[in-house]
Structures are given as structure tokens and as C-alpha cells.
Amino acid sequence: MAKKIPIKIDPCPIIEAVVDFRFDTQMPDDAIFGIIYKSFKDEFDDKVEKLPILQIPEAIRSQDPNFRFQPCYRFKKENYLLQIGPRVINFISQEDYLGWDVFYPKIKDSLLRIQELNLVTKFSRLGIRYINLFPFDIYNRINLGILMNGERLQANQTTVRTILKTGNYTTSLQIANNAKVATTKTLKTGSVIDIDTYIEGENLQIFSNPDRILGDAHNEEKRL
């Protein structure tokens, strides 16, 4: 019998949850932000933050694959963020996590509005990432151990990163102790469990069935 996955962990260790969409479009890069801004400006605070990537010339950003899917602008309302780039949209819940039952309806509503803008010709990637921070050495409390000479490794700082494949989804799992993490309020030190579950493809039918594809990705991330 499969283990029942808890609905919530208390105290909640989630410091950031990100749902990331990468897409293709026939619109010019410099037109994307203006179109989305017009549709979403009343939902967020008036101020729009320009992200550091805009300091790099557009000609370089458009050609370098490391920059192609980076957001350029950020909307914010309390702990909920929307980030936009020419080929990417991020929905983010920071600290005081909203919970999936609150977070997902916000994402779905935004997707429907983006669909009406006729910006996206196709989606190429969906990613769901959760970053968890714990105030203790996580390796002493999880069912993952690292051995050296047959004995459990005890180290001041250890980082493990692995890529796992389950069905249609791929997950990047990273675990680190004694790590420094910048939150919206301060710089914190602790152990991090960073889980990024994603699916890539030429024809992701996100607009037609967001409940299934996002629900499956979220369940896969949460199971791990």
C-alpha cells in the first residue's frame, strides 16, 4: 500500500514555490512584457521591478541559451510574485507559503488570461520547484545517507545533487546542510531540500488541461 502523502507539514519549511512555464511565441521579444503588463497591472502593486538580466544587451540575451529563458520583469503583491521574460513566465509564492489549494487557482486564472492574449504558440517546458529550509542538520533526520569507509559521513557542509526520472517527469533533487539562503526578509543558514520537477516536450497541452498536467507534476514533486 502506498504511503499517504501529508497535506501539510507544520511548521512549514517551504521558503519558495515556483511554477515555471517556457514557451515559444511569434511576438517580438520587446512586445511580450507590454502585452502581459496591460492585462495584469491592476492585480499587482504599481511598481514593476526590472531584474538584473536587463543590464545585458538584448542581442546577447536572445542568442545565449543561459539567458533565453530568464525573466526580465517582476510583479509583486505581498508574498506572491509574477515574473516575465520573452520566453518564460514564473509564478512564485515566497515564505508564508499559500498552499497548493490557494496557489494553483491563482496560476490557473493567470493561464486563462494569458491564453486570451494569443501570445503562446506552444509550451516547451513546465517546472514545479519547492525550496525547503530546516534549522538543523537534515542528514541526521532523513532516509538518505552518505558513507565513507563504511561509516556514515559527518561533515560540516555536504551537498548532494541528483537527477531522477519517473514516468514523463524529471526531477532535480538537491540536499545541502549548513547552507546560506537569502529570503525576502533576511539571510538564513540551515539545511535545504530543493526539489525541481519538470516535463519538457514539443507539444505540452497546458492550456487545454492544466488541472491534469500541473496536478501530476505537483504530485510527483510532493511524493519525492
Side-chain angles (χ1 to χ4, degrees):
M1 181 181 296
K3 285 187 175 182
K4 185 178 180 181
I5 299 175
I7 296 174
K8 184 179 180 181
I9 299 174
D10 186 22
C12 181
I14 298 169
I15 59 170
E16 186 168 277
V18 183
V19 177
D20 170 270
F21 297 96
R22 297 180 183 178
F23 60 87
D24 290 341
T25 181
Q26 295 180 346
M27 294 284 186
D29 288 1
D30 56 4
I32 300 293
F33 170 71
I35 295 171
I36 295 179
Y37 173 77
K38 186 176 180 180
S39 180
F40 284 88
K41 63 179 181 178
D42 293 337
E43 182 180 340
F44 293 88
D45 298 334
D46 291 336
K47 184 178 179 181
V48 177
E49 181 182 354
K50 293 182 178 181
L51 300 180
I53 193 173
L54 285 174
Q55 298 176 13
I56 300 171
E58 192 276 335
I60 297 176
R61 285 187 275 120
S62 62
Q63 296 298 321
D64 191 325
N66 294 316
F67 300 137
R68 185 172 177 80
F69 296 106
Q70 293 295 318
C72 299
Y73 299 92
R74 175 184 293 158
F75 296 94
K76 184 176 182 180
K77 185 173 183 179
E78 297 174 348
N79 65 330
Y80 179 59
L81 285 71
L82 170 64
Q83 296 187 157
I84 303 167
R87 297 291 185 276
V88 65
I89 299 174
N90 302 150
F91 300 94
I92 303 173
S93 175
Q94 289 189 323
E95 298 184 80
D96 302 321
Y97 176 54
L98 301 170
W100 187 250
D101 289 343
V102 176
F103 190 28
Y104 173 63
K106 288 177 174 285
I107 298 168
K108 184 176 181 180
D109 176 69
S110 297
L111 280 175
L112 293 173
R113 291 160 64 182
I114 290 169
Q115 183 179 16
E116 293 173 354
L117 299 175
N118 294 317
L119 290 174
V120 178
T121 54
K122 65 178 180 180
F123 288 99
S124 58
R125 185 186 188 274
L126 159 68
I128 295 183
R129 182 181 184 186
Y130 279 74
I131 302 174
N132 304 268
L133 181 67
F134 301 87
F136 45 77
D137 188 338
I138 197 67
Y139 290 107
N140 293 329
R141 306 200 189 186
I142 56 175
N143 57 356
L144 170 68
I146 303 171
L147 302 181
M148 181 176 288
N149 294 328
E151 297 183 358
R152 189 178 182 93
L153 178 67
Q154 298 288 339
N156 182 54
Q157 189 169 30
T158 302
T159 300
V160 175
R161 184 175 184 270
T162 186
I163 304 292
L164 306 171
K165 183 73 174 178
T166 52
N168 294 325
Y169 296 93
T170 302
T171 297
S172 170
L173 170 65
Q174 184 166 288
I175 303 173
N177 64 353
N178 200 21
K180 295 187 184 300
V181 181
T183 69
T184 54
K185 300 174 182 177
T186 185
L187 183 67
K188 294 183 178 180
T189 300
S191 294
V192 172
I193 296 181
D194 183 341
I195 305 173
D196 185 5
T197 297
Y198 58 91
I199 183 171
E200 298 175 313
E202 290 297 317
N203 194 27
L204 299 179
Q205 299 298 317
I206 292 174
F207 281 145
S208 61
N209 201 349
D211 292 349
R212 181 189 62 79
I213 193 167
L214 270 79
D216 287 351
H218 176 254
N219 288 336
E220 186 60 37
E221 179 279 332
K222 193 170 184 179
R223 182 195 65 77
L224 180 59

